[in-house]
Short mmCIF file of all heavy atoms in Angstrom, two decimals:
data_model
loop_
_atom_site.label_atom_id
_atom_site.label_comp_id
_atom_site.label_asym_id
_atom_site.label_seq_id
_atom_site.Cartn_x
_atom_site.Cartn_y
_atom_site.Cartn_z
N ARG W 84 5.41 2.37 3.61
CA ARG W 84 4.42 1.47 3.00
C ARG W 84 4.70 1.22 1.53
O ARG W 84 4.19 0.26 0.96
CB ARG W 84 3.02 2.00 3.21
CG ARG W 84 2.58 1.88 4.66
CD ARG W 84 1.14 2.15 4.84
NE ARG W 84 0.75 1.87 6.23
CZ ARG W 84 -0.31 2.38 6.81
NH1 ARG W 84 -1.11 3.19 6.12
NH2 ARG W 84 -0.60 2.08 8.06
N SER W 85 5.51 2.08 0.91
CA SER W 85 5.91 1.90 -0.48
C SER W 85 7.24 1.16 -0.61
O SER W 85 7.71 0.93 -1.72
CB SER W 85 6.03 3.26 -1.17
OG SER W 85 4.80 3.94 -1.16
N SER W 86 7.83 0.80 0.51
CA SER W 86 9.13 0.12 0.50
C SER W 86 9.00 -1.32 0.03
O SER W 86 7.89 -1.84 -0.14
CB SER W 86 9.77 0.17 1.89
OG SER W 86 9.01 -0.58 2.81
N GLU W 87 10.13 -1.96 -0.12
CA GLU W 87 10.18 -3.34 -0.63
C GLU W 87 9.29 -4.29 0.17
O GLU W 87 8.64 -5.17 -0.40
CB GLU W 87 11.64 -3.82 -0.56
CG GLU W 87 11.84 -5.24 -1.02
CD GLU W 87 13.29 -5.69 -0.90
OE1 GLU W 87 14.10 -4.97 -0.28
OE2 GLU W 87 13.59 -6.77 -1.42
N PHE W 88 9.24 -4.14 1.47
CA PHE W 88 8.43 -5.00 2.32
C PHE W 88 7.29 -4.21 2.97
O PHE W 88 6.95 -4.41 4.13
CB PHE W 88 9.29 -5.68 3.39
CG PHE W 88 10.36 -6.56 2.80
CD1 PHE W 88 11.69 -6.18 2.83
CD2 PHE W 88 10.01 -7.77 2.20
CE1 PHE W 88 12.67 -6.98 2.28
CE2 PHE W 88 11.00 -8.58 1.65
CZ PHE W 88 12.32 -8.19 1.68
N GLY W 89 6.71 -3.30 2.20
CA GLY W 89 5.65 -2.43 2.70
C GLY W 89 4.47 -3.16 3.29
O GLY W 89 3.81 -2.65 4.21
N GLU W 90 4.20 -4.37 2.82
CA GLU W 90 3.08 -5.14 3.37
C GLU W 90 3.36 -5.60 4.80
O GLU W 90 2.46 -6.02 5.52
CB GLU W 90 2.74 -6.34 2.48
CG GLU W 90 3.77 -7.43 2.45
CD GLU W 90 4.94 -7.22 1.48
OE1 GLU W 90 4.97 -6.17 0.79
OE2 GLU W 90 5.82 -8.09 1.40
N ASN W 91 4.62 -5.49 5.23
CA ASN W 91 5.00 -5.86 6.60
C ASN W 91 5.00 -4.66 7.55
O ASN W 91 5.36 -4.80 8.71
CB ASN W 91 6.38 -6.51 6.61
CG ASN W 91 6.40 -7.82 5.85
OD1 ASN W 91 6.33 -7.82 4.64
ND2 ASN W 91 6.48 -8.91 6.56
N ILE W 92 4.61 -3.51 7.04
CA ILE W 92 4.48 -2.32 7.88
C ILE W 92 3.04 -2.27 8.36
O ILE W 92 2.10 -2.13 7.57
CB ILE W 92 4.81 -1.03 7.11
CG1 ILE W 92 6.22 -1.11 6.49
CG2 ILE W 92 4.64 0.20 8.00
CD1 ILE W 92 7.35 -1.27 7.47
N LEU W 93 2.85 -2.40 9.67
CA LEU W 93 1.50 -2.42 10.23
C LEU W 93 1.01 -1.04 10.63
O LEU W 93 -0.18 -0.76 10.54
CB LEU W 93 1.46 -3.36 11.44
CG LEU W 93 1.92 -4.79 11.18
CD1 LEU W 93 1.89 -5.60 12.46
CD2 LEU W 93 1.05 -5.44 10.11
N TYR W 94 1.93 -0.20 11.10
CA TYR W 94 1.52 1.11 11.60
C TYR W 94 2.72 2.02 11.71
O TYR W 94 3.81 1.59 12.11
CB TYR W 94 0.88 0.95 12.99
CG TYR W 94 0.52 2.24 13.68
CD1 TYR W 94 -0.62 2.95 13.33
CD2 TYR W 94 1.33 2.75 14.69
CE1 TYR W 94 -0.94 4.15 13.96
CE2 TYR W 94 1.01 3.94 15.33
CZ TYR W 94 -0.12 4.64 14.96
OH TYR W 94 -0.44 5.81 15.58
N PHE W 95 2.53 3.28 11.38
CA PHE W 95 3.49 4.33 11.69
C PHE W 95 2.67 5.52 12.16
O PHE W 95 1.78 5.98 11.45
CB PHE W 95 4.32 4.74 10.47
CG PHE W 95 5.25 5.88 10.79
CD1 PHE W 95 6.46 5.65 11.42
CD2 PHE W 95 4.89 7.19 10.50
CE1 PHE W 95 7.30 6.70 11.76
CE2 PHE W 95 5.74 8.25 10.84
CZ PHE W 95 6.94 8.00 11.46
N GLY W 96 2.92 5.98 13.38
CA GLY W 96 2.15 7.11 13.89
C GLY W 96 2.83 7.78 15.06
O GLY W 96 3.76 7.26 15.66
N PRO W 97 2.32 8.98 15.41
CA PRO W 97 2.96 9.81 16.43
C PRO W 97 2.66 9.39 17.85
O PRO W 97 1.64 8.77 18.14
CB PRO W 97 2.35 11.19 16.16
CG PRO W 97 1.00 10.89 15.60
CD PRO W 97 1.18 9.63 14.78
N MET W 98 3.57 9.75 18.74
CA MET W 98 3.34 9.60 20.18
C MET W 98 2.56 10.83 20.65
O MET W 98 2.85 11.95 20.23
CB MET W 98 4.68 9.56 20.92
CG MET W 98 5.52 8.37 20.59
SD MET W 98 7.11 8.51 21.45
CE MET W 98 7.88 7.03 20.84
N ALA W 99 1.62 10.63 21.54
CA ALA W 99 0.84 11.74 22.06
C ALA W 99 1.73 12.75 22.80
O ALA W 99 1.40 13.93 22.87
CB ALA W 99 -0.25 11.22 22.99
N SER W 100 2.87 12.30 23.30
CA SER W 100 3.78 13.19 24.02
C SER W 100 4.52 14.16 23.10
O SER W 100 5.23 15.05 23.56
CB SER W 100 4.81 12.37 24.80
OG SER W 100 5.61 11.62 23.89
N ARG W 101 4.39 13.95 21.79
CA ARG W 101 5.06 14.75 20.77
C ARG W 101 6.58 14.64 20.86
O ARG W 101 7.32 15.55 20.52
CB ARG W 101 4.61 16.22 20.83
CG ARG W 101 3.15 16.38 20.51
CD ARG W 101 2.63 17.81 20.42
NE ARG W 101 3.60 18.85 20.52
CZ ARG W 101 3.58 19.81 21.47
NH1 ARG W 101 2.66 19.81 22.39
NH2 ARG W 101 4.49 20.76 21.46
N THR W 102 7.05 13.46 21.29
CA THR W 102 8.50 13.20 21.37
C THR W 102 8.97 12.24 20.28
O THR W 102 10.17 11.96 20.20
CB THR W 102 8.90 12.65 22.75
OG1 THR W 102 8.18 11.46 23.01
CG2 THR W 102 8.64 13.68 23.84
N GLY W 103 8.08 11.73 19.46
CA GLY W 103 8.49 10.81 18.41
C GLY W 103 7.34 10.03 17.82
O GLY W 103 6.19 10.47 17.85
N PHE W 104 7.68 8.84 17.32
CA PHE W 104 6.73 8.01 16.58
C PHE W 104 6.89 6.55 16.98
O PHE W 104 7.93 6.14 17.50
CB PHE W 104 7.00 8.12 15.07
CG PHE W 104 6.76 9.49 14.52
CD1 PHE W 104 7.78 10.43 14.51
CD2 PHE W 104 5.53 9.85 14.02
CE1 PHE W 104 7.57 11.70 14.01
CE2 PHE W 104 5.30 11.12 13.51
CZ PHE W 104 6.33 12.05 13.50
N TYR W 105 5.87 5.77 16.68
CA TYR W 105 5.94 4.31 16.78
C TYR W 105 5.86 3.72 15.38
O TYR W 105 5.09 4.19 14.53
CB TYR W 105 4.78 3.75 17.61
CG TYR W 105 4.88 4.07 19.07
CD1 TYR W 105 3.99 4.94 19.68
CD2 TYR W 105 5.88 3.50 19.87
CE1 TYR W 105 4.08 5.23 21.03
CE2 TYR W 105 5.97 3.79 21.21
CZ TYR W 105 5.07 4.65 21.79
OH TYR W 105 5.17 4.94 23.12
N LEU W 106 6.66 2.70 15.15
CA LEU W 106 6.62 1.92 13.91
C LEU W 106 6.40 0.47 14.31
O LEU W 106 7.19 -0.08 15.08
CB LEU W 106 7.95 2.06 13.14
CG LEU W 106 8.09 1.17 11.91
CD1 LEU W 106 7.10 1.57 10.82
CD2 LEU W 106 9.53 1.24 11.38
N LEU W 107 5.33 -0.12 13.80
CA LEU W 107 5.04 -1.53 14.06
C LEU W 107 5.26 -2.31 12.78
O LEU W 107 4.71 -1.96 11.72
CB LEU W 107 3.60 -1.73 14.53
CG LEU W 107 3.32 -1.44 16.00
CD1 LEU W 107 3.33 0.04 16.28
CD2 LEU W 107 2.00 -2.05 16.40
#
């Protein structure tokens, strides 16, 4: 969210399976 195009980051969060993350 602090990156150059941070306003284009909608979501970063974990998978309930604890195998990774989603980035929108």
